Each structure stands twice: as C-alpha cells, then as structure tokens.
C-alpha cells in the first residue's frame, strides 16, 4: 500500500469515527431515567450525568419518618442513576464497541450507579444498605 492509499484509508476511518461520535452525542443528549419507590411515595428523574433533575413526593410520603424518607429518596435515585448508566454504556458500546474507550466511559459514570456485580435484589439491598446520616 502506498502513502496515498494509506492516507485515504486513514481519512475514511476518521470520517467514520466522527460520524459515530456525532451519533453518540445526539443519542446521549436524550438520555435520562425516572424511577419510583416500590409504594410510590418517591419519584425521581435524573439526567445523563446522574444529576437529580426532578423529585416528586406523594402525599403518602408525609407519613414516613424523616430517615425512612431519606433512605427512599437515595434508593430511588440510585435506581434511576443505574438505569441511566446502563443507557450510556449501551449507547457507547453500540457506537464505539468494547475496548479502552468504553472502559474510560464506564469509569466516568456516576458513582454507585453501576451494579456491584449482580442483579439488584432485596438480598443485595440488605447486604449493602445505603448510608443514612443525620
């Protein structure tokens, strides 16, 4: 392969990567997730970065003790952040594939958003309860 062919192939690859990056950016701008507590007292929405964008408390939340309400808010926010992280990782995998770029993206997802190694279950929750401070 001569230098011109090499340059042409390199240019094609750059164009392809730029197109995938643009697609990923467009899709990531739409990422967000909503989660509700099991009984519906708390509903949250987080954006692509995992930042809380909306918090809704049902009237039934008024019957909860403050520490229980705080736990529910944290737990529900974690669920939404986990859903967002799965979306971000999925889009990134589709656009860029497995590899070093995906690992960098995963390292920058919201802390505590990815599962600790398994499905979210009641057993996992009780084995790793959220921290509540007063």
């Amino acid at each position: 392969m001569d230098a011109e062919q090499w340059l042409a192939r390199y240019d094609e690859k750059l164009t392809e990567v730029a197109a995938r990056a643009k697609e990923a950016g467009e899709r990531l701008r739409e990422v967000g997730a909503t989660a509700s507590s099991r009984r519906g007292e708390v509903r949250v929405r987080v954006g692509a970065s995992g930042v809380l964008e909306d918090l809704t408390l049902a009237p039934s939340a008024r019957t909860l003790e403050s520490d229980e309400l705080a736990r529910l808010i944290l737990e529900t926010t974690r669920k939404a952040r986990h859903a967002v992280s799965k979306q971000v990782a999925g889009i990134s995998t589709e656009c860029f594939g497995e590899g070093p770029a995906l690992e960098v993206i995963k390292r920058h997802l919201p802390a505590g958003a990815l599962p600790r190694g398994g499905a979210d279950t009641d057993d996992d929750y009780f084995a790793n309860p959220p921290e509540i401070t007063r």
Side-chain angles (χ1 to χ4, degrees):
M1 167 182 338
D2 68 12
E4 252 182 63
Q5 290 173 322
W6 182 88
L7 219 56
R9 283 183 63 195
Y10 187 74
D11 188 49
E12 286 174 16
K13 284 186 182 213
L14 285 178
T15 301
E16 180 186 319
V17 168
R20 287 194 322 241
K22 182 179 178 189
E23 176 191 353
E26 290 169 358
R27 291 175 62 191
L28 289 170
R29 276 191 278 288
E30 303 300 317
V31 168
T34 301
S36 296
S37 60
R38 290 183 185 178
R39 294 183 308 264
E41 305 94 336
V42 176
R43 184 169 182 255
V44 300
R45 173 157 179 79
V46 298
S49 66
V51 172
L52 185 64
E53 294 180 345
D54 188 43
L55 169 65
T56 304
L57 301 176
S60 58
R62 293 180 188 183
T63 63
L64 300 172
E65 294 292 327
S66 60
D67 60 338
E68 175 67 8
L69 180 57
R71 185 191 64 75
L72 272 179
I73 291 170
L74 290 173
E75 176 185 303
T76 307
T77 302
R78 278 192 196 97
K79 279 195 246 180
R81 292 173 79 195
H82 179 240
V84 162
S85 293
K86 285 175 66 174
Q87 291 174 35
V88 170
I91 291 168
S92 300
T93 301
E94 288 173 28
C95 292
F96 306 114
E98 296 285 338
L102 182 60
E103 293 308 312
V104 169
I105 290 167
K106 286 181 178 180
R107 280 198 309 266
H108 289 89
L109 291 174
L114 288 177
R116 293 181 201 125
D120 293 333
T121 64
D122 286 342
D123 291 338
D124 179 58
Y125 173 79
F126 288 109
N128 303 290
E131 281 187 43
I132 298 178
T133 57
R134 292 180 189 233

